[in-house]
Amino acid sequence: MPPTKAPDSSRRSDRSRRAIHDAALALVAEVGYRRTTIEGIAARAGVGKQTIYRWWPSKAAVLMDAFLDLAGRTAEEAGTGPGDGEEPPAADPPGGGAPGFPDTGDLAADLKAVLRATVDELNDPVLEAVTRALTAEGIVDAKLGDEFVRKLLDPQLALYVTRLRAAQEAGHVRADVEPRVALELLVGPLMHRWLLRTLPLTHAYADAVVDHAVGGLAPRP
Amino acid sequence: MPPTKAPDSSRRSDRSRRAIHDAALALVAEVGYRRTTIEGIAARAGVGKQTIYRWWPSKAAVLMDAFLDLAGRTAEEAGTGPGDGEEPPAADPPGGGAPGFPDTGDLAADLKAVLRATVDELNDPVLEAVTRALTAEGIVDAKLGDEFVRKLLDPQLALYVTRLRAAQEAGHVRADVEPRVALELLVGPLMHRWLLRTLPLTHAYADAVVDHAVGGLAPRP
Amino acid sequence: MPPTKAPDSSRRSDRSRRAIHDAALALVAEVGYRRTTIEGIAARAGVGKQTIYRWWPSKAAVLMDAFLDLAGRTAEEAGTGPGDGEEPPAADPPGGGAPGFPDTGDLAADLKAVLRATVDELNDPVLEAVTRALTAEGIVDAKLGDEFVRKLLDPQLALYVTRLRAAQEAGHVRADVEPRVALELLVGPLMHRWLLRTLPLTHAYADAVVDHAVGGLAPRP
Amino acid sequence: MPPTKAPDSSRRSDRSRRAIHDAALALVAEVGYRRTTIEGIAARAGVGKQTIYRWWPSKAAVLMDAFLDLAGRTAEEAGTGPGDGEEPPAADPPGGGAPGFPDTGDLAADLKAVLRATVDELNDPVLEAVTRALTAEGIVDAKLGDEFVRKLLDPQLALYVTRLRAAQEAGHVRADVEPRVALELLVGPLMHRWLLRTLPLTHAYADAVVDHAVGGLAPRP
DNA sequence: GAGTAAGCGAGACGGTACGTCGTGTCTTATC
DNA sequence: GATAAGACACGACGTACCGTCTCGCTTACTC
């Protein structure tokens, strides 16, 4: 059990929770993560600081919840939208809801569609600030990083695994390839460029990564 | 003209510079980057705060200099050491400049040697703290990130480019492959695992990445 | 009409009232008035904060009620006790209302008995903390001070007035002396020493004060 | 030696010290002691909070220093004023400078002059707030009370002692009277009325106290 | 060799944010 | 409808660092 008693979450104010999420996201977008303070979030949300400290252990945790909440809401809207077309639903890192990954039978094409969408998302200036902040925080703080991976990243990556297993069954990928490794062959290079800003992150780059990686995964001739 | 008059670096105290480097590295190792403060560094180094502010713009800049200095000294020691063997000198991210990249003619083997060395370095608990801190800082602060890439990363990556060009000329890699892209196919997955701690970073993983990537880069049969 | 609707005191929980009194007195004795908080009293009494706020306007008011209650109970016990002796029942500041002031015909002796008892009470370490706290609060807060004087002090002082008037009638005190002034000549010096801690408060001091004061009040020779 | 090292008082900013004094006195006069906060004093003085915490242990200590400083300045002005007349220089509690106590040979008259001046001061609305606050604080906090007595009260009372000794030598007061006790016979009643607000504090009251007290101190006929 | 100007150690300063505590109000569920 | 419990907005607390500033002191360089 925790050293000090936990608050009663059934009495939690939903109004405050939402206001805090909104304020946090808005402030990060406006002034950046570094200059976003808990005090600032509280003031902007019209909330006492204690209400933040009662429910979150750190600024990063607030932002992460806010981000997850945003992703959830976005996904919900997308899900309840009108009968969506058949083409590129993509796997949004923030949420990405249920269906996720296309499977047209053409692995390379499917991967390109998804990675291009990922590139677009990583280049979105609003999401970028928050995602960078959370990633950076997770790199240094293992606890937070784990949560980040578990809640945000793994659900996405699981979709890759599913698609890759299907490709293996269809004989487009060698059976001895570990899907978790294959997936990193695709996602790793994108992250590398995005995080380190070595070179521009473009659709063409995504395509090249897919081409090379799929070449290495295909059955030996 | 300079906006404010710059200090005269010829009169700079080398003694203080070194003490600051040492204190910064020691503190990051002991208490972590977050809890390392400029005041703490100054106190530990027996130095006035102004001496730090005079020569560096931020805590991250101090640490980066300290890290580069450490790398330089380490490389120097390695270079002035006794006649070192011929095989795996590896490309240490922190420095390691001189000897560079093995070229035995077997691309996969050479890459495995280098990536295994990189894995070992990333798993070194002392270097890890500093490297993570600087990487995380660079992810959020573009200016610092550029410097990080320029001074630390690019020299390493250039060695990959050289080796890959040699492989292209030897016909082991297709001519239409862009070396900068190929390189990221190798390094990206490692960074992904290391930064996000999704799965353990092992020699076996390095080998698998090389095998898959080289498969995708090789000339079509 | 009342500004905001007052609570229905007929439904008030006597159990809570007593628990609050006890908790308040105990906390003041244990940690001092400053560090006694309404939250602390509520927690200690096993009572909701609102129950305190409903019936008292301030921490000082709670403590004052508790003190009066204590005095009342103490007095009651004294009154219902076994046949008490005849001599020095004293006029306890905290209650002691009933029996009142000795009148042996010797004014100086009677005053000495009473003032010595007062000295003892002011030196009692348990009562001291509470009395000091209430006095200090009353000095700064006029409203509270009035209540303090009206409920606690005046009943005591009235006994002096009675005794002094008797002395005037007996010809031991000049007729042109205002009893309220005479009384302060006796009580003022004691309070001065006690409140300001200039010098120790002893029986000898009480005697000296009485001797000098009675000398000044006696009929001119 | 103290547990944490003391600041270097030779480098203290006099400008800040004065600004803090002024702000403290102004705030107490404007909003009262209770609602005066250290934060408020710092803001009003244009000073960092730490500058207050560096030099004073509490709000009360700040106010006390401010009060002493004010008294010192007031006394200085009075001292450097034009050739002051001979009659009632009075012994101002705040400061009271050098000369202090009149000695016309008529003890009762001298005491009346001084006590009337004291009455006037205690009725001065500006000084009253500060004096009440400090007194109340000193009643509860023994450490502060001691300082209050030592720095503010004792110097004043010493003047009474001197005057009373002179009266003893002149044969107007019995030799067996302890001046410290005699003095409290005069000052105690005034303080009693002022602190507890039992009855109005007037010149007539001061005169009555003096008359009765001096009667009690005079040699037996 | 004296004069002078910079770097230096030290640390006080005006600030900002921290994370905690207590206030007085409000809400929920129980009796 | 009073109560125990406690979440809430708010305000102040006392602390930690920030980056700037002023002190003497030491250490070159200039005249």
Side-chain angles (χ1 to χ4, degrees), chain C residues 84-92 96 99-104 109-118 120-121 203:
Chain C
D84 32 332
E86 70 224 270
E87 263 282 300
D92 329 62
F101 221 93
D103 186 350
T104 63
D110 292 350
L111 290 173
K112 283 178 187 173
V114 171
L115 287 193
R116 280 170 172 231
T118 301
D120 289 342
E121 237 164 35
H203 285 190

Side-chain angles (χ1 to χ4, degrees), chain D residues 35-121:
Chain D
R35 287 210 296 279
T36 296
T37 65
I38 292 201
E39 215 149 55
I41 295 171
R44 173 101 165 214
V47 140
K49 275 200 286 180
Q50 199 58 45
T51 300
I52 298 184
Y53 285 111
R54 185 156 30 232
W55 302 110
W56 291 277
S58 68
K59 177 173 69 162
V62 173
L63 196 59
M64 184 141 136
D65 260 25
F67 193 58
L68 282 166
D69 190 35
L70 172 67
R73 273 183 287 170
T74 307
E76 205 156 287
E77 281 170 26
T80 58
D84 31 332
E86 70 226 88
E87 264 284 301
D92 330 59
F101 223 94
D103 186 351
T104 64
D106 180 345
L107 178 62
D110 292 349
L111 289 172
K112 283 179 187 172
V114 171
L115 287 193
R116 281 171 172 229
T118 301
V119 164
D120 289 342
E121 239 164 32

